[in-house]
Amino acid sequence: MSEAELRQHHLRVVKMEEEAERLASSLGALMTGTAEALETKGLVDKELTDLLNENKKLKYRTNILKRRVAQMGGKSSSSDTILSPDSFKDQMCNILGQLEGIFSRAIQSAYPEATSPVVQIQLSKHADYQCNAAMALAKSLKKNPREVGEKILNNVATNPLIAKMDLSGPGFVNVFLNQDFIRQQVTNLVMKGVTPPPTTPMRVVIDFSSPNIAKEMHVGHLRSTVIGESIARLMEFLGHNVLRLNHLGDWGTQFGMLIAHLQDKFPNFATSPPPISDLQTFYKESKARFDEDEPFKKRAYEAVVKLQAHDPKHIKGWEEICEISKKEFKKVYKRLGVVLVDRGESFYQSRMEDIVKSLGAAGMLEEDEGRKVMFAEGADIPLTIVKSDGGFTYDTSDMACMKQRIEEELGQWLIYVTDAGQSQHFKTLFACAKKVGFYAPDRIRVSHVPFGVVLGEDKKRFKTRSGETVRLVDLLDEGLQRSEEKLREKERDKALTQEEFTRARDAVAYGCVKYADLSHDRARDYVFSFDRMLDFRGNTAAYLLYALTRIRSIARTAGVSSEEVVSMAQKGTVELDHEKEWKLARTLLKLPDVLIRITDDLYLHPLCEYLYEVSSVFTEFYDNCYCVEKDSSGKIVKINNNRLVLCEATAAVMEKCFFLLGINTVSKM
């Protein structure tokens, strides 16, 4: 065989191996129900990926419905979820949730023998919504699906939400919403603002951000801070009693070297606050001395012992260092519009001692090479409760935290927003807390909200050119600079006053950083790119903030204030005669269901997707339905008040979405 033939043969073998790998990956994706394995290897099959994603959505809704049924002890929750029309005079209606309740009751009535039937309601091209429950139910009951669908339809009780229904295909029930109900909901939205759907208030404790004292916040803190703030805002909007906790790393052996360095550099720190302007440099100095200077290292260890013994002078030094850090953290939080209650590890010291005693007394600790560890069912790795030197660990602290938040804060839902690398830790923590008994899954809900890594455009961890971790302050400063450049490039500085320009610059800068994070599936890594974030096209904060100002300018151009638009709504319900008006109204009223869906899994990107959808549907409406008509000279000849009401409703929904995402809006850009 010639060399050329050998080369050809080799290429064919390589190609066959690549094809075999692609098929194996596709098979793996089908078995696991996820396309992530394909994407990471660059072997994306678009048709397969689309099918898998669609299947994932259906499974997602199915699991939610199953969980709701299970929470009701195997009974449908329809009797609790279906509310009378009067219930929605002062709050927005979760239409999808209401339809699920209505059809659950209809299925119970039609087939009382059915055990835990799953109700699938989705948007339809042939109607407003479609119920697909008949197929699965017919299979389990061994009946004709169309006959099952017809019987379900006939058992749907009269409800003001539904105008009519019909049957199509093998048993799909098409649902057409009552226009009067929808018109009234949109009118209420304008008169009363965006209101939360019906929920049962809970005491929710959210742990997020959590930087370490004496270290600067860096890009790694961005995701926890932004995601946690948005979840907190959502919970508060829904009526929950929320405690936002900043679990600061404010205790540990590192404070020995910091206090020893403080004593040398600022001997009068106890009476005169030390003028430390750069705590990060101060930390690096103390660490270098600790690593290289043995006498200093010995003093650092002695300082730790004195600190833990609560020696007044050492406590004073610790307090000074903590206060300097907290002031710097608060500057960042103020820029990002984040509110937190500081509660560091030091708060739990006595509680850690108590929990070690109680676990020991209960016989739940095991010796392991000098350590005391705790195992629990369902956890592969134990918690290390006491180190071999007798010290406590993060595991000890987190057990004490969880107990305190349940028993003292009366938390009914504990949420931890951390990187995905801690998933195994929280799995073990929750299992051990359950074993001890202070966490009971049937009474308390716990959620670990994991997120991926922020990557640079080289697809590696986001670093500076010198390889250092990017400081969060520097990142925000660059955002302001780039935002200003972008707005000046568009000559917005000539159209806005200096105050308006500054507000627009800040809104775009901080908004684009937050939106880029929140608009991605949080469980996955994402590439940080200012160029993409500041693009005024597509699904970006820059584009959507601008779109909102355009919507707000419609009434302003017509010389009509927001108060006057509200007065228009009070005079009569909005009309929805044009198909684009009807589509816009239905889209606006999807918000309550979007928010309720987020509380099921705490993924925030569906809210971003919804916000972009609202903007897109509004564009369709605006292109087809004149709100303000002008003659050839530009003079206004007609104002459509009804459509101005729809503009106001759209702006109100978009502003609420931005608020929940932690993004400030502006009236002009």
Side-chain angles (χ1 to χ4, degrees):
M1 189 179 287
S2 68
E3 187 177 338
E5 287 174 325
L6 279 171
R7 206 163 36 243
Q8 287 282 336
H9 180 69
H10 174 70
L11 290 172
R12 281 199 299 272
V13 171
V14 169
K15 191 172 181 181
M16 288 171 67
E17 286 176 347
E18 289 176 349
E19 181 65 15
E21 184 182 358
R22 188 188 71 78
L23 290 171
S25 298
S26 297
L27 181 60
L30 286 168
M31 291 173 69
T32 59
T34 174
E36 288 177 14
L38 300 178
E39 292 172 356
T40 55
K41 294 181 180 180
L43 301 169
V44 179
D45 180 323
K46 187 176 185 307
E47 186 177 358
L48 176 62
T49 303
D50 290 344
L51 288 170
L52 286 168
N53 287 335
E54 189 61 33
N55 190 44
K56 186 178 178 182
K57 291 177 185 177
L58 291 171
K59 282 184 177 179
Y60 168 81
R61 289 297 311 167
T62 301
N63 288 334
I64 290 173
L65 291 166
K66 283 181 177 177
R67 192 158 66 242
R68 287 178 182 169
V69 170
Q71 288 169 350
M72 296 303 295
K75 296 178 182 178
S76 168
S77 59
S78 60
S79 59
D80 295 274
T81 59
I82 300 177
L83 302 176
S84 70
D86 291 340
S87 303
F88 299 109
K89 285 183 177 178
D90 297 314
Q91 60 188 159
M92 292 182 73
C93 175
N94 57 323
I95 293 172
L96 183 60
Q98 292 301 306
L99 290 175
E100 287 172 352
I102 290 167
F103 277 91
S104 290
R105 179 175 289 178
I107 292 170
Q108 281 184 352
S109 177
Y111 296 102
E113 71 275 20
T115 55
S116 304
V118 175
V119 180
Q120 293 181 349
I121 306 286
Q122 62 187 47
L123 292 170
S124 171
K125 294 179 181 178
H126 310 292
D128 295 317
Y129 287 91
Q130 190 177 79
C131 176
N132 299 336
M135 273 56 69
L137 189 58
K139 187 175 180 181
S140 65
L141 297 175
K142 294 182 172 53
K143 294 179 181 291
N144 181 295
R146 187 169 178 89
E147 291 176 5
V148 171
E150 190 168 1
K151 193 169 182 181
I152 292 172
L153 187 156
N154 292 334
N155 276 271
V156 173
T158 302
N159 188 288
L161 182 58
I162 300 173
K164 66 173 183 174
M165 295 175 293
D166 62 34
L167 202 64
S168 66
F172 301 129
V173 180
N174 295 320
V175 180
F176 299 84
L177 299 177
N178 186 333
Q179 278 219 12
D180 290 340
F181 183 85
I182 301 304
R183 287 168 55 214
Q184 190 60 58
Q185 279 282 294
V186 175
T187 306
N188 288 349
L189 194 164
V190 173
M191 292 192 297
K192 298 172 183 178
V194 179
T195 53
T199 50
T200 302
M202 298 174 70
R203 172 67 163 166
V204 181
V205 182
I206 308 178
D207 179 328
F208 67 102
S209 192
S210 308
N212 290 317
I213 293 294
K215 293 183 180 180
E216 284 192 282
M217 292 181 74
H218 53 77
V219 70
H221 294 110
L222 178 66
R223 301 209 72 182
S224 178
T225 305
V226 169
I227 294 168
E229 174 67 21
S230 186
I231 290 173
R233 289 184 179 217
L234 171 62
M235 295 298 167
E236 288 164 349
F237 174 67
L238 292 175
H240 298 300
N241 180 5
V242 179
L243 175 60
R244 304 149 157 260
L245 288 182
N246 198 11
H247 188 70
L248 297 170
D250 69 348
W251 199 255
T253 55
Q254 75 273 22
F255 282 94
M257 67 180 190
L258 289 167
I259 292 171
H261 190 51
L262 184 70
Q263 290 170 333
D264 291 346
K265 203 161 186 180
F266 303 101
N268 299 322
F269 72 85
T271 54
S272 178
I276 301 174
S277 59
D278 187 348
L279 201 54
Q280 183 80 357
T281 299
F282 185 85
Y283 179 90
K284 288 180 179 179
E285 290 171 355
S286 66
K287 184 68 168 69
R289 292 184 68 189
F290 184 84
D291 292 338
E292 299 164 8
D293 186 340
E294 279 300 321
F296 178 81
K297 191 173 189 176
K298 184 180 178 183
R299 283 177 48 220
Y301 281 130
E302 291 170 355
V304 172
V305 174
K306 289 180 180 179
L307 176 63
Q308 292 176 341
H310 289 82
D311 172 74
K313 190 173 182 181
H314 286 73
I315 288 292
K316 178 65 177 175
W318 170 74
E319 288 174 343
E320 291 289 351
I321 292 168
C322 288
E323 193 55 36
I324 292 168
S325 267
K326 288 178 184 177
K327 283 180 180 176
E328 294 305 309
F329 295 158
K330 284 176 182 174
K331 290 178 185 177
V332 174
Y333 293 142
K334 185 177 180 181
R335 291 175 73 172
L336 292 173
V338 172
V339 177
L340 280 156
V341 174
D342 291 337
R343 186 174 293 174
E345 293 168 13
S346 59
F347 177 83
Y348 303 98
Q349 286 301 300
S350 63
R351 292 170 177 81
M352 282 192 256
E353 294 167 8
D354 292 342
I355 206 157
V356 171
K357 288 177 186 175
S358 64
L359 290 175
M364 293 187 181
L365 298 181
E366 298 179 26
E367 291 285 339
D368 179 45
E369 298 181 350
R371 302 178 303 152
K372 291 182 180 179
V373 301
M374 180 179 179
F375 288 90
E377 186 180 349
D380 301 326
I381 301 171
L383 292 183
T384 299
I385 301 298
V386 182
K387 294 188 292 186
S388 56
D389 63 3
F392 298 147
T393 68
Y394 288 122
D395 295 349
T396 327
S397 171
D398 280 346
M399 279 288 278
C401 279
M402 194 169 174
K403 189 172 189 292
Q404 190 273 340
R405 291 169 186 180
I406 291 172
E407 296 184 353
E408 296 180 43
E409 300 297 346
L410 304 179
Q412 297 169 289
W413 187 359
L414 309 186
I415 300 172
Y416 297 84
V417 186
T418 76
D419 64 276
Q422 297 190 50
S423 295
Q424 180 61 53
H425 165 71
F426 281 102
K427 180 182 177 182
T428 305
L429 174 67
F430 298 157
C432 288
K434 181 181 175 183
K435 180 179 179 180
V436 176
F438 59 77
Y439 159 52
D442 60 334
R443 293 187 298 105
I444 309 294
R445 180 177 175 183
V446 296
S447 302
H448 177 222
V449 179
F451 52 81
V453 177
V454 181
L455 305 175
E457 297 202 57
D458 58 359
K459 304 291 177 70
K460 296 177 182 177
R461 280 181 179 267
F462 196 26
K463 301 274 187 182
T464 63
R465 288 181 181 176
S466 60
E468 296 286 319
T469 302
V470 179
R471 299 193 318 158
L472 193 48
V473 168
D474 292 340
L475 191 75
L476 297 178
D477 287 345
E478 184 178 353
L480 284 176
Q481 178 192 335
R482 284 179 174 252
S483 173
E484 180 163 338
E485 289 171 358
K486 193 75 172 179
L487 291 172
R488 288 189 185 280
E489 179 187 309
K490 293 182 172 293
E491 299 188 335
R492 303 321 298 159
D493 53 319
K494 297 177 181 178
L496 302 172
T497 66
Q498 183 57 49
E499 185 181 350
E500 289 170 342
F501 182 82
T502 301
R503 279 204 300 267
R505 179 203 66 186
D506 291 0
V508 170
Y510 302 142
C512 78
V513 170
K514 291 181 178 183
Y515 194 84
D517 191 307
L518 298 171
S519 61
H520 286 85
D521 179 335
R522 61 167 166 75
R524 307 178 70 173
D525 302 343
Y526 83 95
V527 175
F528 191 98
S529 167
F530 272 122
D531 289 337
R532 279 205 292 273
M533 291 177 190
L534 290 166
D535 195 337
F536 276 75
R537 298 164 298 177
N539 190 8
T540 67
Y543 166 73
L544 291 167
L545 284 166
Y546 180 64
L548 175 60
T549 62
R550 290 289 302 273
I551 294 170
R552 280 290 182 209
S553 72
I554 295 169
R556 191 165 60 240
T557 300
V560 180
S561 67
S562 290
E563 292 76 18
E564 288 173 315
V565 176
V566 173
S567 296
M568 293 173 189
Q570 289 171 338
K571 292 174 183 175
T573 54
V574 65
E575 296 298 327
L576 303 170
D577 297 329
H578 195 284
E579 63 171 327
K580 298 301 181 182
E581 293 174 334
W582 177 247
K583 183 178 180 179
L584 178 60
R586 282 192 306 144
T587 303
L588 296 176
L589 297 182
K590 283 166 61 177
L591 177 61
D593 286 303
V594 172
L595 300 183
I596 290 174
R597 171 190 168 181
I598 293 171
T599 63
D600 284 312
D601 58 15
L602 300 179
Y603 278 87
L604 292 156
H605 64 276
L607 182 56
C608 299
E609 291 169 357
Y610 169 74
L611 179 55
Y612 184 61
E613 180 189 2
V614 169
S615 172
S616 301
V617 173
F618 180 84
T619 299
E620 287 182 37
F621 155 78
Y622 189 70
D623 288 345
N624 288 275
C625 304
Y626 291 113
C627 300
V628 180
E629 296 182 36
K630 299 178 180 179
D631 60 20
S632 57
S633 67
K635 181 182 177 182
I636 295 174
V637 294
K638 183 181 179 182
I639 297 173
N640 189 312
N641 293 342
N642 185 71
R643 289 171 181 169
L644 287 187
V645 171
L646 278 172
C647 292
E648 178 67 26
T650 304
V653 166
M654 291 184 71
E655 284 169 352
K656 181 58 70 178
C657 290
F658 277 124
F659 171 79
L660 295 175
L661 295 169
I663 298 173
N664 292 331
T665 59
V666 289
S667 58
K668 294 181 181 180
M669 191 180 291

